[in-house]
Amino acid sequence: QSALTQPPSASGSPGQSVTISCTGTSSDVGYYNYVSWYQQHPGKAPKLMIYEVSKRPSGVPDRFSGSKSGNTASLTVSGLQAEDEADYYCTSYAGSNNFPVLFGGGTMLAVL
Amino acid sequence: EVQLVQSGAEVKKPGESLKISCKGSGYSFTTYWIGWVRQMPGKGLEWMGIIYVGDSETRYSPSFQGQVTISADKSISTAYLQWSSLKASDTAMYYCARREVRYSGYVFDIWGQGTMVTVSS
């Protein structure tokens, strides 16, 4: 199994929108609507931001949204704020025949 | 409050054994999966394995199969990650996380604070 592919970095100015991609295969991202996104600030534990492609847990601002097209999922952060500067990781369910979950390599989001 | 509390930082020598812990509280620990994640210094997150606490069914990522052992003691709401012979390359932060069963797929909603393991001669 290969990790999911994310761009190493992304950036935007305060108030702008930025989209981070997560590319898998037709066996994981493309087959299941089970993509999650996690935010990790330096020195902190990851935090769940999006699950099941586009759903937000309670407490996550609606500036964070998720979508999917084919084998690529995306996380969009609208109205960028300084506190959004963090690493973002996607995960996808990969089926019960394999280890069931894959991580992306992570994207460092800079708010300029 | 639902939380996972991990054991403290460890400094060990190559070849030594180690067992770190992750204690859950505020929820029914036995009806959830607990996953372990490695983060090497300056690197990304890697799934190591997961355990269903209720019956100790365990799955390992291929990269970690045979390298670590994941276990749980449901009587004390604690999951464990252990090594029999540490290597310098095991130096990393290790996180435990709870799989939220209300969500489809493998979604981890509660995370421990992390345990830093340093292996150095």
Side-chain angles (χ1 to χ4, degrees):
Chain A
Q1 288 175 296
S2 300
L4 309 175
T5 300
Q6 297 181 234
S9 63
S11 63
S13 299
Q16 289 186 331
S17 293
V18 64
T19 296
I20 299 170
S21 63
C22 169
T23 301
T25 70
S26 57
S27 298
D28 38 68
V29 174
Y31 192 83
Y32 301 100
N33 288 323
Y34 299 152
V35 175
S36 302
W37 290 89
Y38 297 85
Q39 176 192 65
Q40 186 183 33
H41 287 109
K44 300 295 187 181
K47 175 187 176 184
L48 177 66
M49 303 301 284
I50 296 287
Y51 66 98
E52 294 177 15
V53 175
S54 60
K55 298 178 181 178
R56 280 186 309 276
S58 173
V60 173
D62 60 7
R63 302 184 294 103
F64 292 86
S65 62
S67 62
K68 192 186 85 167
S69 178
N71 297 339
T72 298
S74 298
L75 172 72
T76 297
V77 186
S78 305
L80 271 174
Q81 298 181 6
E83 61 261 34
D84 299 333
E85 185 162 293
D87 293 325
Y88 291 85
Y89 295 89
C90 63
T91 70
S92 175
Y93 181 62
S96 58
N97 290 333
N98 304 302
F99 187 73
V101 63
L102 301 172
F103 261 125
T107 298
M108 183 186 304
L109 173 60
V111 180
L112 305 173
Chain B
E1 179 190 6
V2 175
Q3 61 180 349
L4 296 172
V5 178
Q6 298 185 229
S7 49
E10 301 274 1
V11 179
K12 305 294 271 187
K13 290 181 171 24
E16 292 186 329
S17 63
L18 176 64
K19 192 173 190 178
I20 62 175
S21 66
C22 169
K23 183 173 177 61
S25 62
Y27 72 99
S28 178
F29 193 73
T30 58
T31 59
Y32 285 79
W33 292 81
I34 293 290
W36 286 95
V37 173
R38 182 177 78 175
Q39 187 167 39
M40 300 177 76
K43 302 298 184 182
L45 305 173
E46 302 171 88
W47 285 111
M48 302 177 71
I50 50 175
I51 184 167
Y52 183 69
V53 178
D55 62 6
S56 291
E57 176 186 350
T58 308
R59 300 183 185 179
Y60 293 93
S61 171
S63 299
F64 294 92
Q65 180 79 48
Q67 307 304 307
V68 296
T69 301
I70 293 171
S71 61
D73 184 341
K74 56 187 178 183
S75 70
I76 56 171
S77 299
T78 301
Y80 300 97
L81 175 66
Q82 69 180 87
W83 296 258
S84 58
S85 180
L86 285 160
K87 301 184 283 287
S89 57
D90 293 318
T91 294
M93 181 71 82
Y94 294 88
Y95 293 100
C96 65
R98 182 187 82 162
R99 179 192 174 195
E100 172 53 85
V101 295
R102 294 177 299 160
Y103 305 155
S104 297
Y106 277 68
V107 182
F108 292 82
D109 66 332
I110 303 295
W111 291 69
Q113 82 278 18
T115 296
M116 183 67 206
V117 174
T118 303
V119 183
S120 174
S121 54

